[in-house]
Amino acid sequence: MSAPTIDLYGFAPSVYVRSVRLALEEKRLPYALHEVDPFQDGGPPDWYRAMQPFGKVPTLRDGGFELFESDAILRYLEAAYPEHPLTPPEPQRIGRMTQAMRIMDGYAYPAMIWTVFIVLARGQERGRLSMEDGLAQSRLVLETLDRLMPEGAGFLVGDTITLADTHALPMMVYFEQTAPGAGMIGEFPRLAAWLARIQARPSATATRSDLENG
């Protein structure tokens, strides 16, 4: 029996909305994206705040079940729909997957997105970090991911795609759209090859946002 359509509420250009959408696509789950712009004047509408009191995206509705916070959504999808898993079976790879996701959230997001991308690609005057610190932290993220990526692996934590890949892709895509980001990724051939490989997947094509070049 096919799964019912899942409702996802969020802003298509959001890296966290795309992370969930990539997982849904890779798991081959039918879903509908309902656009909610948290950056619009006055913030998101009241009906959305009734679902997500903090006003952030995304929020998922699966039948009568509602859930917000992207990490919680991803874990739920893996548990509720175990077909086409994005979590590896080995404990060590689960640890590496979660580690990579937390690296992206804790260190890549404020540097690559809220500093380098929004200043250089979107024209905002100031980021969360200074540009110098943002680029330095971005480099450390890339160095760390490259060091942790298994030798000969096609994906971040092994030979199969996991939540680490679907979570990292949206941030890396935006970072690559800046001149220093593209140059820096090019210094890490394995990561550059990984990025090109995952961008060619149907899930990436289906979830491209208007802010993505090319």
Side-chain angles (χ1 to χ4, degrees):
M1 185 174 68
S2 61
T5 297
I6 293 168
D7 293 302
L8 184 67
Y9 299 83
F11 187 49
S14 161
V15 297
Y16 287 105
V17 172
R18 191 180 190 192
S19 172
V20 173
R21 292 180 69 199
L22 284 163
L24 287 163
E25 294 282 347
E26 290 287 345
K27 293 181 75 62
R28 305 173 202 176
L29 292 172
Y31 72 97
L33 176 64
H34 307 276
E35 283 284 340
V36 176
D37 184 355
F39 303 110
Q40 67 186 8
D41 291 342
D46 290 343
W47 65 262
Y48 183 73
R49 284 192 177 274
M51 300 171 65
Q52 215 294 19
F54 302 98
K56 294 186 176 183
V57 293
T59 294
L60 176 139
R61 178 183 287 152
D62 187 11
F65 180 64
E66 293 180 1
L67 188 67
F68 60 84
E69 295 298 325
S70 59
D71 189 64
I73 292 171
L74 293 171
R75 303 295 180 174
Y76 167 74
L77 291 174
E78 283 289 271
Y81 301 99
E83 300 83 4
H84 309 293
L86 294 172
T87 300
E90 305 90 347
Q92 293 87 352
R93 288 182 65 210
I94 293 173
R96 289 298 190 201
M97 178 191 77
T98 306
Q99 183 179 52
M101 294 170 72
R102 296 294 76 78
I103 288 170
M104 297 308 296
D105 291 339
Y107 311 111
Y109 188 60
M112 292 181 172
I113 301 304
W114 279 105
T115 299
V116 179
F117 177 72
I118 63 116
V119 172
L120 299 183
R122 303 303 297 164
Q124 187 164 311
E125 292 185 3
R126 185 177 180 180
R128 290 188 180 176
L129 306 172
S130 69
M131 185 57 63
E132 180 181 6
D133 288 344
L135 290 171
Q137 185 157 299
S138 297
R139 179 177 295 279
L140 183 56
V141 167
L142 296 179
E143 289 174 349
T144 304
L145 291 177
D146 183 67
R147 176 174 58 83
L148 294 173
M149 191 174 180
E151 192 66 33
F155 298 95
L156 288 180
V157 298
D159 293 327
T160 57
I161 191 169
T162 71
L163 292 175
D165 304 285
T166 57
H167 202 62
L169 173 66
M171 298 187 208
M172 296 284 276
V173 165
Y174 283 159
F175 183 63
E176 190 187 35
Q177 291 185 187
T178 69
M184 200 179 293
I185 290 173
E187 296 176 25
F188 299 88
R190 293 199 305 160
L191 289 180
W194 162 82
L195 185 56
R197 184 182 305 113
I198 196 169
Q199 280 186 279
R201 294 178 72 87
S203 62
T205 301
T207 58
R208 287 173 60 90
S209 85
D210 293 340
L211 300 187
E212 186 173 346
N213 293 337

